[in-house]
Amino acid sequence: MRTLSTVYLLRGFQVASLPYVTAAGNIAKAFESIRTAAIPPKVSQDFVKNVLKVPGGSGDQMTTYLKKIGFTGADGSPTDRYRRFRNPGSSGAVVAESIRDAYQPLYMRNEYLHTLPEAELTNLVMEETGNAHDSTPVKSVVNCIKALKEHADFNGAHTSSSVDKAEYRPPEQPIVAPVQEQAAPNNQNGGIGLNLGYTINLNLPATTDQEVFNAIFRSLKQNLLSSDDG
């Protein structure tokens, strides 16, 4: 089911927010410069226009597009994906990740999106956006996906969409902590002993601070896993 965050209204139609630039050829130009230029503190419009060599209004579009494909964060800072792309050994898989993430609504319609011929891809985008097959948004989205695919390696990509560590926090994951069973002493009158065990589910906070995890498990050990219990 499509959520409200994935759609917006344009000229009375409900249109999926699929990212695109109108000049898809600038994607290859930007990628080539990203590989060779030093990593900046921020991928600003000036950086895109002067260093990545995508000038004018196309440069403004590219600045936004790099955010939408996960290369930069909301503040324009380069993400881990941006850095991994510069490595020739991982760049193809990184672009494949970007396609899966940026065009997830299309993958929900067809999980083999990246294998579709242009005509079928156009039909898929048309169905998702509600626009005519020859409209500028549809043609631009298709051209951008084709341009990205030229740099993508889906054989080396993860099977599911990746989450960029520099831009997103990982969701809280329940962790099951097995607890060693403690045997109750046998009844002196010949009764049967009882073995008890329990399981603790932890929802860890979304943080990379190791001290937070150390404190949680230290408290768990002191308060719940003491050998004096029971």
Side-chain angles (χ1 to χ4, degrees):
M1 179 177 180
R2 191 182 306 163
T3 63
L4 291 177
S5 62
T6 62
V7 297
Y8 61 92
L9 295 180
L10 178 63
R11 297 180 182 177
F13 294 95
Q14 199 174 48
V15 182
S17 54
L18 302 175
Y20 66 85
V21 292
T22 52
N26 285 325
I27 294 176
K29 182 185 296 186
F31 278 178
E32 181 179 354
S33 297
I34 287 173
R35 288 189 180 98
T36 57
I39 301 175
K42 294 287 181 66
V43 181
S44 63
Q45 290 183 0
D46 285 342
F47 178 83
V48 171
K49 294 176 182 180
N50 297 320
V51 178
L52 301 188
K53 305 300 182 183
V54 184
S58 294
D60 297 337
Q61 288 185 359
M62 184 58 63
T63 305
T64 300
Y65 189 72
L66 290 174
K67 293 180 182 179
K68 292 186 176 181
I69 65 173
F71 273 51
T72 62
D75 62 351
S77 57
T79 61
D80 179 65
R81 183 173 292 175
Y82 183 105
R83 293 176 171 84
R84 287 188 292 121
F85 171 77
R86 299 178 75 251
N87 180 349
S90 60
S91 62
V94 168
V95 177
E97 292 173 8
S98 295
I99 296 175
R100 290 187 184 278
D101 287 346
Y103 300 98
Q104 185 180 17
L106 298 179
Y107 273 99
M108 293 177 66
R109 289 178 174 269
N110 190 325
E111 63 179 315
Y112 300 104
L113 165 72
H114 53 277
T115 66
L116 297 179
E118 183 174 350
E120 292 185 29
L121 177 58
T122 300
N123 290 338
L124 196 68
V125 175
M126 179 185 66
E127 292 174 3
E128 178 65 26
T129 63
N131 281 5
H133 74 279
D134 58 349
S135 66
T136 296
V138 170
K139 290 191 293 186
S140 296
V141 168
V142 171
N143 288 336
C144 286
I145 293 175
K146 289 170 54 182
L148 289 173
K149 283 170 55 179
E150 292 181 2
H151 301 269
D153 177 11
F154 286 91
N155 293 325
H158 299 300
T159 56
S160 60
S161 297
S162 63
V163 179
D164 198 308
K165 298 178 182 178
E167 187 175 356
Y168 306 100
R169 287 187 173 185
E172 293 184 355
Q173 296 290 338
I175 293 183
V176 177
V179 179
Q180 185 176 3
E181 293 184 351
Q182 300 290 335
N186 289 333
N187 190 299
Q188 294 181 353
N189 296 324
I192 300 175
L194 178 65
N195 292 330
L196 298 177
Y198 55 90
T199 299
I200 300 172
N201 292 324
L202 298 179
N203 285 325
L204 298 180
T207 178
T208 57
D209 189 348
Q210 185 63 41
E211 286 302 318
V212 174
F213 298 120
N214 291 342
I216 292 174
F217 288 104
R218 189 183 305 116
S219 177
L220 177 65
K221 179 179 180 181
Q222 292 174 351
N223 294 286
L224 296 180
L225 303 182
S226 174
S227 59
D228 295 333
D229 293 345

